[in-house]
Amino acid sequence: MNLFDPISPEERLEAEILRPSKNYWQDAWGRLRTNKLALTGLAVIVVILVLAVIGPMLSPYEYDAQDFMISNEPPTLTHWFGTDMFGRDIFVRVLYGARISLAVGFLASFISLFIGVIYGGISGFAGGRLDDFMMRIVDIIYSVPMMIYVILLMVVVGPGLKSIFITLGISYWAPMARMVRAEVMRLKSEEFILAARVLGASSRRILLRHLIPNALGSVLVTLTFSIPGAIFTEAFLSFVGLGVSAPMASWGVLCSDASASLAIYPWQLFFPAGAISITILAFNFLGDGLRDALDPKLRK
């Protein structure tokens, strides 16, 4: 009796894989495209970035041009968001403030990406006493409130955007380092790492070519969520007077200037506060979509 009879052409056609194979990133992008909220958030972020870059250049008004003859005007066709107490166009100032707020958010996130990924990767891969020592440094950074950093830097550097950049650079990489350390510690016991060791791969190659790339999904999700956090932090510091100074305009400065006349001219606070809310909401929608799309357990 022949146990290995060839299959018929009909059976071969039934067993044929008709759907093209997809790698990890193609599958993630395909699932991200089905998430309407994530795509909406991405579209809103792109629109805000474009408006922040080219909007002030196309406007006939300067962000710091004062005209007391038109001070505190409500929104009109001439001044879409109205004017402030100095007669400055709020629409242009909101777009200019987007440059500063988004620059702070992206810079803080890139610092956390660069320092946090390398620091957390080395800590998790090395383990032992080196890991304990490096994590105690992270715990010390966590234990000091951010406001203390700001106050100390204001004494040394002075208030302004530079102090905010340094403050976020000092403290914002710590959560990323913890997350990367946890991912590396989970991945370094997998079989593909053992295979790389058997083949003679160096520790540096294993860390940079195998461990960190496989943790990239979690890194991107954490990076997406850290940007709105940095934007809100800058807005809060500027609102309480520890951020950028006049005549520069971030969203926090605009909210601080408008809060004194909220009962009389509410639109002056509504537009910058709305810009902060929409931007943070868009990044949260995108982050939720990335978290679902990059989860390997949801791959089909």
Side-chain angles (χ1 to χ4, degrees):
M1 181 178 180
N2 190 1
L3 298 178
F4 300 99
D5 293 332
I7 63 175
S8 64
E10 293 78 9
E11 293 174 328
R12 183 186 300 274
L13 183 62
E14 292 178 358
E16 185 179 356
I17 299 177
L18 300 179
R19 192 181 71 171
S21 61
K22 296 182 179 180
N23 60 29
Y24 175 76
W25 295 106
Q26 289 174 335
D27 184 70
W29 170 242
R31 283 187 281 118
L32 181 65
R33 288 188 299 176
T34 62
N35 192 325
K36 295 182 179 179
L37 282 179
L39 289 182
T40 301
L42 179 60
V44 170
I45 293 169
V46 172
V47 170
I48 292 175
L49 286 172
V50 172
L51 289 176
V53 173
I54 68 174
M57 295 185 293
L58 299 178
S59 175
Y61 307 103
E62 296 291 334
Y63 79 96
D64 57 350
Q66 300 181 8
D67 186 355
F68 291 96
M69 299 297 294
I70 57 172
S71 61
N72 296 320
E73 278 194 355
T76 62
L77 293 178
T78 305
H79 302 280
W80 293 354
F81 290 178
T83 59
D84 61 8
M85 67 182 72
F86 299 106
R88 297 173 296 194
D89 186 78
I90 296 179
F91 178 70
V92 175
R93 289 179 65 79
V94 169
L95 294 183
Y96 185 84
R99 293 181 177 182
I100 298 176
S101 298
L102 292 175
V104 170
F106 281 107
L107 180 64
S109 300
F110 287 138
I111 290 174
S112 71
L113 176 67
F114 180 74
I115 301 178
V117 169
I118 295 177
Y119 191 94
I122 294 175
S123 176
F125 183 70
R129 293 184 178 180
L130 180 60
D131 177 43
D132 292 337
F133 175 75
M134 296 177 72
M135 284 299 103
R136 296 300 77 77
I137 296 177
V138 173
D139 293 337
I140 293 172
I141 293 174
Y142 261 116
S143 65
V144 180
M146 184 177 294
M147 195 63 65
I148 301 298
Y149 290 127
V150 176
I151 294 173
L152 291 176
L153 287 171
M154 284 181 63
V155 175
V156 178
V157 182
L161 195 58
K162 185 185 295 185
S163 299
I164 295 179
F165 282 142
I166 298 176
T167 300
L168 296 179
I170 290 174
S171 59
Y172 250 67
W173 60 270
M176 179 70 76
R178 280 187 167 180
M179 186 279 301
V180 173
R181 171 183 176 268
E183 285 293 310
V184 169
M185 292 187 71
R186 179 182 65 84
L187 291 170
K188 71 178 184 180
S189 60
E190 296 290 334
E191 292 181 354
F192 71 94
I193 300 299
L194 177 60
R197 290 185 183 277
V198 171
L199 292 174
S202 63
S203 298
R204 179 180 177 181
R205 181 178 178 85
I206 291 174
L207 179 62
L208 297 180
R209 297 293 299 273
H210 298 285
L211 290 174
I212 291 180
N214 278 278
L216 194 57
S218 299
V219 169
L220 288 177
V221 174
T222 305
L223 185 70
T224 306
F225 282 116
S226 67
I227 294 175
I231 292 174
F232 182 81
T233 300
E234 183 278 327
F236 168 74
L237 293 176
S238 297
F239 184 84
V240 299
L242 299 178
V244 299
S245 56
M248 298 179 68
S250 71
W251 287 338
V253 171
L254 297 178
C255 290
S256 178
D257 293 341
S259 61
S261 57
L262 174 61
I264 306 175
Y265 311 113
W267 64 85
Q268 295 181 2
L269 179 62
F270 173 79
F271 291 110
I276 296 173
S277 302
I278 291 173
T279 304
I280 292 178
L281 194 62
F283 274 106
N284 285 332
F285 283 157
L286 179 59
D288 287 336
L290 285 175
R291 181 176 56 194
D292 295 338
L294 296 174
D295 189 351
K297 296 179 182 178
L298 299 178
R299 293 193 68 184
K300 296 181 181 180

